[in-house]
Amino acid sequence: MTMSPGAAQNPESVKLRSIFVSTENETPLENVADKKEWACHNEGNDTKVDKEAGDEKDYIEEPIMLPQSTHTFLFTEDVSSLPFWFAVLTAAISLTCLVLALQNSLCGSSSNNVADAPVQVLPAVKVAQYISIFIGLLTEEEIPTALYMLRMISQKSLKSKFPQMKFWKFVFSAMVRLMLGYAFLFNMFIIIVQSDAVIDIFYDLLALQFVEQLDDIAFQLCKKEAFGDRLSRAGNKKCFHAEFQRQHFLGRLKKIGMFLKMLYFCNLALAIMGLTYITMKQRSGDYQATSITVTFGDELWEKAVVENVAGGFYEHDLIFSMFNGVYVQSGVHDGRPVYVEQRKFEQTPYEKWIGAEIKYCRSECRWVLTHRNIRKSMTSEKLDCDWIFRSPETTDYNLLDVSGSWSAWTGAIVHGANIFIIDNEC
């Protein structure tokens, strides 16, 4: 291309036409607007790439490796080998301990109270029960480990790394973990709902956790040659240091992965719902004895003050054995049931007369026997807890659990009064 002399002397007069060189599938940008749009598009892509690159630098993904546990021997070792049967023995011991603990916890259960929960617990214990559910699910590791391995290690991935390993044995090992995990959760739930002291809950959870983690403890001992060379070699195999490629969940596999994730949270929801159901039953008094038989001693109160129908008072000798008989639950007072005296023979409520009541008085911190028409003196005010027979100080929600010496009022407090209470439904 030749340039005129004038053009060479005046650079501003030179006009160069820009040419966009495109690939086969791209369209040339004919105008300035297209160029700006193309530039913005690429700028967005560059920002996205830079952001993704930055995200990758923010964290390191946990490598997927086989768990260091004797349960892993169930698919890394031959069925006829010593490590395999050592793993079977360890799993059997853990499962047996959990089953025995569950059986012992449920020995006092009934059709009305399957979990053998106490009739009621203190508010501090109830709060500790809900907190312990979260603690128990956090410390339980068999279920999340089994679900994670089933999600992350496929049959193809296992075969490519270790062709000699059977995938069905890998699944069997995961099922053993799930079985032990749910045995732990059942025990945990029963222990929590049965506890009536805060410290007992945490002690029992620690004991369960120790039983469930026997496989981890045994594996570490195997690696340190505590059980011989063969188990040491099995625990130090290269397969425990191999890393598996992460699975990409698409289509049906994605749904299975989501299901396995949600299963862990379903355990939490079911435990919370179960404890809430038992709490509601306790508040409504469903676990309390509905009918009891009470037998008093022969303590005598001379010249007891009795109120007549007209509102006047008279004195009458009172023998406490007159209150012997059947008492039926009727209402609640201070968070405990109220038991009302029934007729002596028909065992039905009084119609003309007023029966005695046994109830808990928070002001006294005791279970008391009261009667609406009996006062300690003619000048005393009518009180809600004007007791004539009372238990020692207690916070027990169940009248049948009260222990210690009772007291009677015979014009003065008489300690060591006799009383005997039984549940008519037992």
Side-chain angles (χ1 to χ4, degrees):
M1 180 175 64
T2 61
M3 299 177 60
S4 61
Q9 295 174 1
N10 186 10
E12 295 181 356
S13 64
V14 179
K15 296 182 180 180
L16 298 178
R17 182 180 180 184
S18 61
I19 301 174
F20 176 77
V21 181
S22 65
T23 61
E24 182 179 356
N25 296 328
E26 292 178 330
T27 304
L29 302 180
E30 297 292 344
N31 50 52
V32 177
D34 291 339
K35 294 177 182 179
K36 290 182 178 179
E37 182 179 356
W38 178 80
C40 293
H41 176 72
N42 279 307
E43 183 180 357
N45 287 342
D46 292 342
T47 304
K48 183 177 180 181
V49 171
D50 292 341
K51 184 177 180 181
E52 289 177 353
D55 289 343
E56 291 178 355
K57 296 178 182 179
D58 288 343
Y59 68 95
I60 299 176
E61 290 184 340
E62 182 75 15
I64 302 173
M65 305 172 68
L66 297 181
Q68 295 197 4
S69 161
T70 56
H71 297 328
T72 308
F73 289 163
L74 295 174
F75 65 91
T76 61
E77 303 296 325
D78 293 333
V79 177
S80 59
S81 66
L82 175 63
F84 179 89
W85 286 105
F86 181 81
V88 171
L89 178 62
T90 305
I93 291 174
S94 296
L95 183 61
T96 302
C97 292
L98 292 172
V99 170
L100 290 176
L102 184 63
Q103 183 181 7
N104 182 73
S105 299
L106 296 177
C107 63
S109 62
S110 62
S111 58
N112 183 48
N113 189 359
V114 178
D116 195 20
V119 296
Q120 185 58 285
V121 295
L122 296 171
V125 178
K126 184 59 65 178
V127 173
Q129 287 178 338
Y130 279 98
I131 294 175
S132 298
I133 288 180
F134 289 93
I135 295 175
L137 286 171
L138 288 174
T139 57
E140 198 288 310
E141 59 179 15
E142 298 295 356
I143 294 177
T145 300
L147 297 180
Y148 184 79
M149 300 308 293
L150 289 174
R151 287 177 57 241
M152 292 301 177
I153 300 180
S154 64
Q155 183 175 3
K156 181 180 178 181
S157 178
L158 185 66
K159 283 293 182 182
S160 64
K161 283 282 185 181
F162 305 104
Q164 74 280 8
M165 294 184 185
K166 305 294 183 183
F167 188 72
W168 69 267
K169 293 173 66 178
F170 171 78
V171 176
F172 172 73
S173 173
M175 294 300 106
V176 171
R177 286 183 178 273
L178 288 174
M179 180 173 57
L180 290 172
Y182 278 105
F184 172 89
L185 291 184
F186 277 122
N187 273 280
M188 177 200 74
F189 181 78
I190 296 300
I191 283 174
I192 288 175
V193 299
Q194 287 184 351
S195 297
D196 55 6
V198 174
I199 195 66
D200 291 345
I201 299 176
F202 300 117
Y203 277 147
D204 292 338
L205 282 181
L206 286 174
L208 285 179
Q209 185 181 3
F210 171 76
V211 171
E212 191 196 32
Q213 293 181 350
L214 285 178
D215 59 298
D216 299 330
I217 299 171
F219 183 85
Q220 295 301 322
L221 292 175
C222 287
K223 292 180 65 177
K224 296 175 181 178
E225 300 184 4
F227 301 116
D229 292 339
R230 284 200 287 177
L231 289 172
S232 176
R233 289 194 297 270
N236 288 287
K237 279 188 174 180
K238 294 181 180 180
C239 62
F240 288 101
H241 303 280
E243 296 184 9
F244 291 83
Q245 186 177 3
R246 287 187 172 270
Q247 301 296 311
H248 299 286
F249 297 98
L250 299 173
R252 181 171 175 269
L253 289 178
K254 185 176 182 180
K255 293 181 179 179
I256 295 175
M258 289 298 296
F259 169 75
L260 294 177
K261 273 186 176 181
M262 292 302 298
L263 185 61
Y264 185 70
F265 294 98
C266 287
N267 295 334
L268 173 62
L270 289 175
I272 294 293
M273 290 171 59
L275 182 56
T276 302
Y277 172 77
I278 290 177
T279 301
M280 294 173 62
K281 297 271 284 183
Q282 288 173 329
R283 288 184 176 180
S284 61
D286 289 352
Y287 297 148
Q288 296 277 4
T290 57
S291 176
I292 59 175
T293 297
V294 182
T295 304
F296 294 92
D298 295 329
E299 286 79 12
L300 173 64
W301 180 6
E302 295 181 351
K303 297 181 180 181
V305 179
V306 182
E307 182 180 1
N308 57 30
V309 179
F313 297 94
Y314 65 97
E315 294 180 344
H316 181 74
D317 292 345
L318 188 151
I319 302 176
F320 282 93
S321 59
M322 294 171 54
F323 298 112
N324 292 350
V326 174
Y327 287 70
V328 174
Q329 181 181 348
S330 178
V332 177
H333 185 269
D334 286 344
R336 278 84 166 172
V338 176
Y339 294 99
V340 179
E341 183 185 11
Q342 305 295 295
R343 290 180 174 180
K344 303 303 180 186
F345 299 103
E346 293 86 355
Q347 298 180 1
T348 57
Y350 285 105
E351 296 179 359
K352 295 182 179 181
W353 305 102
I354 297 174
E357 292 182 352
I358 299 177
K359 60 187 178 183
Y360 184 84
C361 283
R362 191 167 293 159
S363 59
E364 296 279 343
C365 292
R366 306 170 191 266
W367 287 86
V368 300
L369 172 72
T370 65
H371 196 287
R372 191 186 307 175
N373 294 340
I374 299 178
R375 307 272 188 91
K376 289 187 173 69
S377 67
M378 294 184 182
T379 58
S380 63
E381 297 181 0
K382 189 174 183 179
L383 303 175
D384 182 45
C385 286
D386 198 3
W387 64 273
I388 57 177
F389 209 93
R390 70 180 186 183
S391 72
E393 289 190 6
T394 181
T395 57
D396 284 328
Y397 283 87
N398 190 358
L399 176 61
L400 300 173
D401 291 339
V402 177
S403 59
S405 177
W406 288 59
S407 303
W409 178 265
T410 61
I413 299 177
V414 177
H415 299 289
N418 296 319
I419 185 173
F420 183 69
I421 305 172
I422 62 172
D423 186 353
N424 294 332
E425 296 179 354
C426 293

